[in-house]
Amino acid sequence: MNNSSFGACPAKTSILDRSLSKGKGEVSLSAFALLFSEVVQYCQTKVYTVPELQKKLHEIGLDVGSRIVDLYFVRDKNCKRETKLLNILLFIKTTVWKNLFGREADKLEHANDDERTYYIIEKNALVNSFVSVPRDKSSLNCAIFTAGIVEAILTSCNFPAKVSAHWHQGTTYMIKFDESVTSRDQQLEER
Amino acid sequence: MSRQTSRLDAKKVNSELFTLTYGALVTQLIKDVDNVDDVNKQLERMGYNIGVRLIEDFLARSGSGKCYDFRDTSEKIQLATRMYLGVSPTISNWSPSGDEFSLVMDNNPITDFVELPDSHMGLKYSNMLLGVIRGSCEMVQLEVSCWFVQDQLKGDNTTEIRVKLLRKLEDSVPAGED
Protein backbone atom coordinates (compact mmCIF):
# COMPACT_ATOMS: atom_id res chain seq x y z
CA MET A 1 0.00 0.00 0.00
CA ASN A 2 2.65 2.44 1.10
CA ASN A 3 4.96 1.44 -1.66
CA SER A 4 2.45 2.04 -4.37
CA SER A 5 1.55 5.50 -3.09
CA PHE A 6 5.22 6.43 -2.93
CA GLY A 7 5.59 5.25 -6.48
CA ALA A 8 2.79 7.51 -7.58
CA CYS A 9 4.42 10.68 -6.31
CA PRO A 10 8.18 10.54 -6.71
CA ALA A 11 10.39 12.76 -4.55
CA LYS A 12 7.73 15.10 -3.29
CA THR A 13 9.42 17.99 -1.54
CA SER A 14 7.55 19.02 1.51
CA ILE A 15 6.40 22.56 2.03
CA LEU A 16 8.75 22.75 5.00
CA ASP A 17 11.76 22.15 2.76
CA ARG A 18 11.19 25.43 1.02
CA SER A 19 11.91 28.76 2.62
CA LEU A 20 9.04 30.92 3.71
CA SER A 21 7.93 33.31 1.00
CA LYS A 22 8.11 37.03 1.67
CA GLY A 23 4.43 37.34 0.95
CA LYS A 24 4.87 40.08 -1.61
CA GLY A 25 3.12 38.25 -4.42
CA GLU A 26 0.15 39.96 -5.95
CA VAL A 27 -2.82 38.98 -8.02
CA SER A 28 -5.33 41.24 -9.64
CA LEU A 29 -8.25 42.52 -7.62
CA SER A 30 -10.62 41.33 -10.34
CA ALA A 31 -9.36 37.78 -9.91
CA PHE A 32 -9.97 37.94 -6.19
CA ALA A 33 -13.36 39.58 -6.59
CA LEU A 34 -14.52 36.91 -9.01
CA LEU A 35 -13.24 34.16 -6.76
CA PHE A 36 -14.96 35.69 -3.77
CA SER A 37 -18.15 35.97 -5.75
CA GLU A 38 -17.97 32.25 -6.50
CA VAL A 39 -17.45 31.58 -2.80
CA VAL A 40 -20.56 33.59 -1.94
CA GLN A 41 -22.59 31.98 -4.70
CA TYR A 42 -21.51 28.54 -3.63
CA CYS A 43 -22.46 29.23 -0.03
CA GLN A 44 -25.80 30.48 -1.20
CA THR A 45 -26.60 27.18 -2.87
CA LYS A 46 -26.17 25.44 0.45
CA VAL A 47 -28.42 27.58 2.62
CA TYR A 48 -31.89 29.10 2.76
CA THR A 49 -31.57 32.20 4.92
CA VAL A 50 -29.29 35.19 5.27
CA PRO A 51 -28.04 34.22 8.76
CA GLU A 52 -27.13 30.77 7.47
CA LEU A 53 -25.29 32.32 4.57
CA GLN A 54 -23.41 34.60 6.95
CA LYS A 55 -22.50 31.62 9.09
CA LYS A 56 -21.14 29.74 6.12
CA LEU A 57 -19.04 32.70 4.97
CA HIS A 58 -17.86 33.15 8.52
CA GLU A 59 -16.68 29.54 8.60
CA ILE A 60 -14.69 29.99 5.42
CA GLY A 61 -13.12 33.09 6.95
CA LEU A 62 -12.20 31.08 10.04
CA ASP A 63 -10.36 28.63 7.83
CA VAL A 64 -8.35 31.42 6.23
CA GLY A 65 -7.64 33.14 9.55
CA SER A 66 -6.37 30.04 11.27
CA ARG A 67 -3.79 29.66 8.51
CA ILE A 68 -2.34 33.14 8.61
CA VAL A 69 -1.74 33.43 12.35
CA ASP A 70 1.55 31.58 12.44
CA LEU A 71 2.60 32.94 9.10
CA TYR A 72 2.30 36.57 10.15
CA PHE A 73 3.82 36.10 13.58
CA VAL A 74 6.83 34.38 12.08
CA ARG A 75 7.21 36.87 9.28
CA ASP A 76 6.43 40.17 10.95
CA LYS A 77 6.81 39.65 14.66
CA ASN A 78 9.96 37.61 14.82
CA CYS A 79 7.99 34.64 16.17
CA LYS A 80 6.88 36.56 19.28
CA ARG A 81 3.25 36.22 20.25
CA GLU A 82 1.19 39.09 21.61
CA THR A 83 -0.08 38.62 25.14
CA LYS A 84 -1.83 41.92 25.77
CA LEU A 85 -5.32 42.60 24.61
CA LEU A 86 -4.59 45.99 23.14
CA ASN A 87 -1.49 44.78 21.34
CA ILE A 88 -3.25 41.92 19.63
CA LEU A 89 -5.98 44.29 18.50
CA LEU A 90 -3.39 46.68 17.11
CA PHE A 91 -1.63 43.78 15.47
CA ILE A 92 -4.86 42.94 13.67
CA LYS A 93 -5.64 46.53 12.78
CA THR A 94 -2.19 47.20 11.34
CA THR A 95 -0.15 44.11 10.43
CA VAL A 96 -2.94 41.76 9.47
CA TRP A 97 -4.91 44.36 7.58
CA LYS A 98 -1.86 45.63 5.75
CA ASN A 99 -0.83 42.17 4.71
CA LEU A 100 -4.26 41.08 3.61
CA PHE A 101 -5.72 44.25 2.17
CA GLY A 102 -2.74 46.51 1.58
CA ARG A 103 -3.77 49.16 4.09
CA GLU A 104 -4.57 49.56 7.76
CA ALA A 105 -8.11 49.36 9.02
CA ASP A 106 -9.54 52.83 9.53
CA LYS A 107 -10.41 52.81 13.20
CA LEU A 108 -10.21 50.75 16.34
CA GLU A 109 -12.67 51.66 19.06
CA HIS A 110 -13.65 50.49 22.50
CA ALA A 111 -17.35 50.36 23.35
CA ASN A 112 -18.38 52.91 25.95
CA ASP A 113 -20.82 50.68 27.71
CA ASP A 114 -19.08 47.33 27.60
CA GLU A 115 -15.45 46.73 28.31
CA ARG A 116 -15.49 43.40 26.51
CA THR A 117 -16.54 44.88 23.19
CA TYR A 118 -14.27 46.47 20.63
CA TYR A 119 -14.91 47.67 17.11
CA ILE A 120 -12.72 47.69 14.06
CA ILE A 121 -14.16 50.06 11.50
CA GLU A 122 -13.46 50.10 7.84
CA LYS A 123 -15.09 52.45 5.44
CA ASN A 124 -14.67 50.44 2.28
CA ALA A 125 -14.10 46.79 2.93
CA LEU A 126 -12.12 45.23 0.11
CA VAL A 127 -14.27 42.14 -0.04
CA ASN A 128 -17.34 44.32 -0.49
CA SER A 129 -15.90 46.38 -3.37
CA PHE A 130 -17.97 44.60 -5.98
CA VAL A 131 -20.82 43.29 -3.91
CA SER A 132 -24.19 44.88 -4.32
CA VAL A 133 -26.54 43.60 -1.71
CA PRO A 134 -30.05 42.81 -2.91
CA ARG A 135 -32.74 44.81 -1.18
CA ASP A 136 -34.43 41.81 0.35
CA LYS A 137 -31.17 40.74 1.95
CA SER A 138 -30.09 44.12 3.24
CA SER A 139 -28.69 42.72 6.47
CA LEU A 140 -26.15 40.65 4.56
CA ASN A 141 -22.62 41.90 4.84
CA CYS A 142 -20.15 39.70 3.04
CA ALA A 143 -17.38 41.15 5.19
CA ILE A 144 -18.51 38.54 7.69
CA PHE A 145 -15.83 36.57 5.87
CA THR A 146 -13.23 39.00 7.18
CA ALA A 147 -14.86 38.82 10.61
CA GLY A 148 -14.22 35.08 10.47
CA ILE A 149 -10.55 35.72 9.74
CA VAL A 150 -10.29 38.07 12.73
CA GLU A 151 -12.10 35.65 15.00
CA ALA A 152 -9.78 32.81 14.05
CA ILE A 153 -6.71 34.95 14.72
CA LEU A 154 -7.95 36.06 18.13
CA THR A 155 -9.08 32.63 19.15
CA SER A 156 -5.89 30.90 18.12
CA CYS A 157 -3.86 33.50 20.02
CA ASN A 158 -5.89 32.53 23.06
CA PHE A 159 -8.11 35.58 23.11
CA PRO A 160 -11.42 33.77 22.62
CA ALA A 161 -13.90 36.14 21.04
CA LYS A 162 -16.91 36.33 18.78
CA VAL A 163 -16.57 38.63 15.80
CA SER A 164 -19.40 39.79 13.59
CA ALA A 165 -19.73 42.29 10.76
CA HIS A 166 -22.32 45.06 10.54
CA TRP A 167 -23.26 47.91 8.24
CA HIS A 168 -22.28 50.92 10.28
CA GLN A 169 -19.92 53.67 9.11
CA GLY A 170 -19.09 51.41 6.25
CA THR A 171 -18.36 48.06 7.78
CA THR A 172 -17.90 47.64 11.50
CA TYR A 173 -16.51 44.46 12.95
CA MET A 174 -17.80 43.90 16.44
CA ILE A 175 -15.40 41.97 18.62
CA LYS A 176 -16.84 40.59 21.81
CA PHE A 177 -14.23 38.98 24.00
CA ASP A 178 -14.80 36.16 26.38
CA GLU A 179 -14.96 37.17 30.03
CA SER A 180 -11.69 35.33 30.72
CA VAL A 181 -9.81 37.57 28.31
CA THR A 182 -10.64 40.87 29.96
CA SER A 183 -10.08 39.59 33.45
CA ARG A 184 -6.73 38.14 32.48
CA ASP A 185 -5.74 41.38 30.87
CA GLN A 186 -6.61 43.29 34.01
CA GLN A 187 -4.42 40.96 36.03
CA LEU A 188 -1.58 41.61 33.64
CA GLU A 189 -2.08 45.34 34.04
CA GLU A 190 -1.95 45.14 37.81
CA ARG A 191 1.34 43.35 37.85
CA MET B 1 -1.94 56.30 -24.14
CA SER B 2 -1.35 56.80 -20.45
CA ARG B 3 -4.87 55.64 -19.87
CA GLN B 4 -4.04 52.38 -21.56
CA THR B 5 -1.20 51.60 -19.19
CA SER B 6 -3.04 52.59 -16.06
CA ARG B 7 -5.80 50.24 -17.08
CA LEU B 8 -3.37 47.42 -17.58
CA ASP B 9 -1.88 47.53 -14.13
CA ALA B 10 -5.16 47.31 -12.38
CA LYS B 11 -5.56 47.19 -8.64
CA LYS B 12 -3.78 44.36 -6.95
CA VAL B 13 -4.39 42.35 -3.85
CA ASN B 14 -2.04 40.23 -1.84
CA SER B 15 -1.75 36.81 -3.40
CA GLU B 16 -1.91 35.06 -0.04
CA LEU B 17 -5.41 36.33 0.57
CA PHE B 18 -6.35 34.92 -2.81
CA THR B 19 -4.54 31.63 -2.30
CA LEU B 20 -5.97 31.02 1.14
CA THR B 21 -9.49 31.97 0.12
CA TYR B 22 -9.24 29.51 -2.73
CA GLY B 23 -7.88 26.90 -0.33
CA ALA B 24 -10.73 27.49 2.08
CA LEU B 25 -13.19 27.07 -0.76
CA VAL B 26 -11.63 23.78 -1.83
CA THR B 27 -11.65 22.59 1.77
CA GLN B 28 -15.29 23.51 2.08
CA LEU B 29 -16.11 21.62 -1.11
CA ILE B 30 -14.32 18.54 0.10
CA LYS B 31 -16.22 18.71 3.38
CA ASP B 32 -19.54 19.13 1.61
CA VAL B 33 -19.10 16.75 -1.29
CA ASP B 34 -16.55 14.20 -0.15
CA ASN B 35 -16.10 12.69 -3.55
CA VAL B 36 -12.97 13.88 -5.24
CA ASP B 37 -14.34 13.59 -8.76
CA ASP B 38 -17.34 15.73 -7.90
CA VAL B 39 -15.09 18.30 -6.24
CA ASN B 40 -13.02 18.46 -9.43
CA LYS B 41 -16.16 18.96 -11.48
CA GLN B 42 -17.50 21.63 -9.19
CA LEU B 43 -14.19 23.53 -9.26
CA GLU B 44 -14.16 23.42 -13.01
CA ARG B 45 -17.71 24.71 -13.15
CA MET B 46 -16.91 27.57 -10.80
CA GLY B 47 -13.91 28.40 -12.97
CA TYR B 48 -16.16 28.39 -15.99
CA ASN B 49 -18.47 30.91 -14.32
CA ILE B 50 -15.48 33.08 -13.55
CA GLY B 51 -14.14 32.80 -17.09
CA VAL B 52 -17.45 33.87 -18.56
CA ARG B 53 -17.26 37.11 -16.59
CA LEU B 54 -13.50 37.53 -16.66
CA ILE B 55 -13.26 37.77 -20.44
CA GLU B 56 -15.16 41.04 -20.36
CA ASP B 57 -12.69 42.49 -17.89
CA PHE B 58 -9.78 41.21 -19.94
CA LEU B 59 -10.98 42.67 -23.22
CA ALA B 60 -11.68 46.01 -21.58
CA ARG B 61 -8.33 46.23 -19.84
CA SER B 62 -6.05 44.80 -22.47
CA GLY B 63 -7.81 46.48 -25.38
CA SER B 64 -6.99 43.46 -27.47
CA GLY B 65 -8.86 42.75 -30.64
CA LYS B 66 -9.68 39.64 -32.54
CA CYS B 67 -7.35 36.69 -32.68
CA TYR B 68 -6.30 35.64 -36.14
CA ASP B 69 -5.29 32.15 -35.22
CA PHE B 70 -4.96 29.92 -32.22
CA ARG B 71 -1.37 31.06 -31.66
CA ASP B 72 -2.72 34.52 -31.16
CA THR B 73 -5.15 33.12 -28.65
CA SER B 74 -2.40 31.36 -26.76
CA GLU B 75 -0.54 34.64 -26.36
CA LYS B 76 -3.66 36.29 -25.04
CA ILE B 77 -4.11 33.53 -22.51
CA GLN B 78 -0.51 34.03 -21.48
CA LEU B 79 -1.08 37.76 -21.09
CA ALA B 80 -4.24 37.17 -19.10
CA THR B 81 -2.43 34.84 -16.72
CA ARG B 82 0.12 37.54 -16.12
CA MET B 83 -2.52 40.18 -15.58
CA TYR B 84 -4.66 38.19 -13.22
CA LEU B 85 -2.34 35.81 -11.43
CA GLY B 86 0.92 37.72 -11.73
CA VAL B 87 2.80 34.79 -13.24
CA SER B 88 3.96 34.34 -16.77
CA PRO B 89 3.52 30.86 -18.13
CA THR B 90 5.54 29.74 -21.13
CA ILE B 91 3.84 28.37 -24.18
CA SER B 92 5.29 25.24 -25.66
CA ASN B 93 4.70 21.87 -27.27
CA TRP B 94 2.55 23.00 -30.13
CA SER B 95 0.91 20.15 -31.94
CA PRO B 96 1.85 20.02 -35.65
CA SER B 97 -1.65 21.04 -36.67
CA GLY B 98 -1.50 24.10 -34.44
CA ASP B 99 -4.64 23.37 -32.50
CA GLU B 100 -3.10 22.27 -29.23
CA PHE B 101 -0.49 23.79 -26.93
CA SER B 102 0.81 23.67 -23.39
CA LEU B 103 0.90 26.41 -20.79
CA VAL B 104 3.78 25.69 -18.49
CA MET B 105 3.96 27.40 -15.12
CA ASP B 106 7.02 27.23 -12.94
CA ASN B 107 5.05 28.35 -9.99
CA ASN B 108 1.37 28.41 -9.59
CA PRO B 109 0.28 31.02 -7.06
CA ILE B 110 -2.90 29.24 -6.12
CA THR B 111 -1.00 26.23 -4.84
CA ASP B 112 1.26 28.13 -2.43
CA PHE B 113 1.11 26.45 0.99
CA VAL B 114 -0.69 23.47 -0.45
CA GLU B 115 0.15 19.84 0.05
CA LEU B 116 -2.09 17.05 -1.14
CA PRO B 117 -2.60 14.32 1.40
CA ASP B 118 -2.16 10.81 0.04
CA SER B 119 -5.85 10.18 0.49
CA HIS B 120 -6.72 12.94 -1.98
CA MET B 121 -4.27 12.31 -4.78
CA GLY B 122 -7.14 12.34 -7.25
CA LEU B 123 -7.96 15.93 -6.42
CA LYS B 124 -7.23 18.34 -9.23
CA TYR B 125 -6.60 21.21 -6.91
CA SER B 126 -6.14 23.87 -9.56
CA ASN B 127 -9.03 22.68 -11.67
CA MET B 128 -10.64 26.08 -11.45
CA LEU B 129 -7.97 27.43 -13.83
CA LEU B 130 -9.08 25.02 -16.52
CA GLY B 131 -12.63 26.19 -16.11
CA VAL B 132 -11.55 29.81 -16.40
CA ILE B 133 -9.78 29.12 -19.69
CA ARG B 134 -12.72 27.14 -21.05
CA GLY B 135 -15.28 29.73 -19.98
CA SER B 136 -13.43 32.74 -21.29
CA CYS B 137 -12.62 31.09 -24.63
CA GLU B 138 -16.21 30.06 -25.05
CA MET B 139 -17.28 33.66 -24.75
CA VAL B 140 -15.12 34.51 -27.76
CA GLN B 141 -16.51 31.58 -29.67
CA LEU B 142 -13.74 29.11 -29.22
CA GLU B 143 -14.60 25.77 -27.79
CA VAL B 144 -11.53 24.40 -26.07
CA SER B 145 -10.83 21.55 -23.77
CA CYS B 146 -8.09 21.68 -21.13
CA TRP B 147 -6.42 19.19 -18.90
CA PHE B 148 -3.39 18.87 -16.67
CA VAL B 149 -0.36 17.10 -18.02
CA GLN B 150 1.87 17.86 -15.07
CA ASP B 151 1.02 19.11 -11.62
CA GLN B 152 3.52 20.34 -9.05
CA LEU B 153 1.26 19.14 -6.28
CA LYS B 154 1.70 15.62 -7.55
CA GLY B 155 5.47 15.83 -7.56
CA ASP B 156 6.10 17.14 -11.07
CA ASN B 157 8.59 19.92 -11.66
CA THR B 158 6.18 22.25 -13.34
CA THR B 159 2.49 22.67 -13.80
CA GLU B 160 1.52 22.06 -17.38
CA ILE B 161 -1.92 22.75 -18.75
CA ARG B 162 -2.77 21.42 -22.17
CA VAL B 163 -5.24 23.46 -24.17
CA LYS B 164 -6.88 22.02 -27.28
CA LEU B 165 -9.08 23.86 -29.71
CA LEU B 166 -12.11 21.72 -30.47
CA ARG B 167 -13.99 23.98 -32.84
CA LYS B 168 -14.99 27.52 -33.54
CA LEU B 169 -18.50 28.23 -32.41
CA GLU B 170 -20.70 29.83 -35.00
CA ASP B 171 -23.21 32.47 -34.13
CA SER B 172 -26.20 30.69 -32.77
CA VAL B 173 -27.86 30.56 -29.41
CA PRO B 174 -25.73 32.52 -26.93
CA ALA B 175 -23.56 30.14 -24.96
CA GLY B 176 -24.71 29.28 -21.51
CA GLU B 177 -28.37 29.73 -22.40
CA ASP B 178 -29.09 26.07 -22.90
Side-chain angles (χ1 to χ4, degrees), chain B residues 77-94:
Chain B
I77 294 177
Q78 185 184 33
L79 172 66
T81 319
R82 194 167 69 230
M83 273 168 62
Y84 292 107
L85 292 181
V87 290
S88 228
T90 46
I91 296 174
S92 61
N93 296 340
W94 276 95

Side-chain angles (χ1 to χ4, degrees), chain A residues 160-180:
Chain A
K162 291 274 165 251
V163 184
S164 51
H166 308 271
W167 290 111
H168 176 72
Q169 298 182 23
T171 296
T172 298
Y173 304 94
M174 185 169 89
I175 305 171
K176 204 166 170 61
F177 285 103
D178 203 84
E179 180 101 50
S180 64

Side-chain angles (χ1 to χ4, degrees), chain A residues 75-191:
Chain A
R75 198 185 274 153
D76 295 303
K77 289 279 165 185
N78 217 357
C79 301
K80 284 212 180 77
R81 274 187 314 126
E82 299 289 358
T83 49
K84 297 246 176 70
L85 182 72
L86 196 58
N87 291 352
I88 188 83
L89 285 169
L90 285 171
F91 170 75
I92 289 174
K93 176 183 182 265
T94 56
T95 313
V96 171
W97 237 261
K98 255 194 188 147
N99 277 316
L100 285 179
F101 308 121
R103 55 160 191 256
E104 284 185 22
D106 298 325
K107 273 185 258 176
L108 172 65
E109 286 179 4
H110 192 176
N112 293 326
D113 49 353
D114 181 12
E115 59 162 6
R116 281 159 51 196
T117 306
Y118 287 80
Y119 303 105
I120 291 178
I121 301 169
E122 193 180 27
K123 210 156 177 222
N124 300 309
L126 180 109
V127 294
N128 277 337
S129 340
F130 299 104
V131 178
S132 49
V133 181
R135 197 166 289 173
D136 60 323
K137 298 194 174 79
S138 60
S139 64
L140 172 68
N141 189 335
C142 291
I144 189 79
F145 169 76
T146 318
I149 298 182
V150 175
E151 181 171 321
I153 295 174
L154 288 171
T155 309
S156 22
C157 292
N158 203 10
F159 289 87
K162 291 274 165 251
V163 184
S164 51
H166 308 271
W167 290 111
H168 176 72
Q169 298 182 23
T171 296
T172 298
Y173 304 94
M174 185 169 89
I175 305 171
K176 204 166 170 61
F177 285 103
D178 203 84
E179 180 101 50
S180 64
V181 176
T182 40
S183 57
R184 184 185 61 200
D185 208 57
Q186 270 158 10
Q187 277 180 348
L188 277 174
E189 290 285 302
E190 284 158 18
R191 253 197 268 166

Side-chain angles (χ1 to χ4, degrees), chain A residues 2 5 8-16 18 20-32 34-39 41-42 46 56 59-61 63-64 67-68 71-72 75 98-101 126-127 145 149, chain B residues 10-25 27-29 31-33 42 45-47 49-50 53-54 57 61 83-87 109 111-118 121 128 152-156:
Chain A
N2 263 341
S5 66
C9 46
K12 210 168 54 162
T13 49
S14 137
I15 191 166
L16 299 174
R18 277 170 273 149
L20 187 62
S21 79
K22 290 249 168 37
K24 298 275 180 250
E26 284 181 326
V27 299
S28 115
L29 176 60
S30 319
F32 176 75
L34 284 165
L35 173 68
F36 188 66
S37 130
E38 282 304 313
V39 172
Q41 286 178 56
Y42 172 73
K46 295 275 155 193
K56 199 95 178 160
E59 272 169 29
I60 292 185
D63 192 348
V64 175
R67 281 160 215 272
I68 59 176
L71 182 63
Y72 288 175
R75 198 185 274 153
K98 255 194 188 147
N99 277 316
L100 285 179
F101 308 121
L126 180 109
V127 294
F145 169 76
I149 298 182
Chain B
K11 276 190 161 172
K12 301 281 183 192
V13 291
N14 183 287
S15 70
E16 282 169 358
L17 175 65
F18 180 79
T19 307
L20 291 170
T21 308
Y22 184 74
L25 176 64
T27 317
Q28 189 67 44
L29 281 173
K31 267 189 217 150
D32 291 347
V33 183
Q42 177 94 38
R45 194 157 57 227
M46 288 175 160
N49 294 340
I50 292 180
R53 300 170 72 188
L54 189 79
D57 192 79
R61 280 185 210 283
M83 273 168 62
Y84 292 107
L85 292 181
V87 290
T111 59
D112 282 344
F113 310 122
V114 179
E115 276 185 328
L116 285 187
D118 286 343
M121 271 301 157
M128 189 178 270
Q152 277 162 319
L153 289 181
K154 309 219 165 124
D156 298 319

Side-chain angles (χ1 to χ4, degrees), chain B residues 140-157:
Chain B
V140 287
Q141 276 145 334
L142 296 172
E143 189 178 328
V144 298
S145 98
C146 323
W147 63 94
F148 285 105
V149 182
Q150 296 189 69
D151 188 343
Q152 277 162 319
L153 289 181
K154 309 219 165 124
D156 298 319
N157 284 328

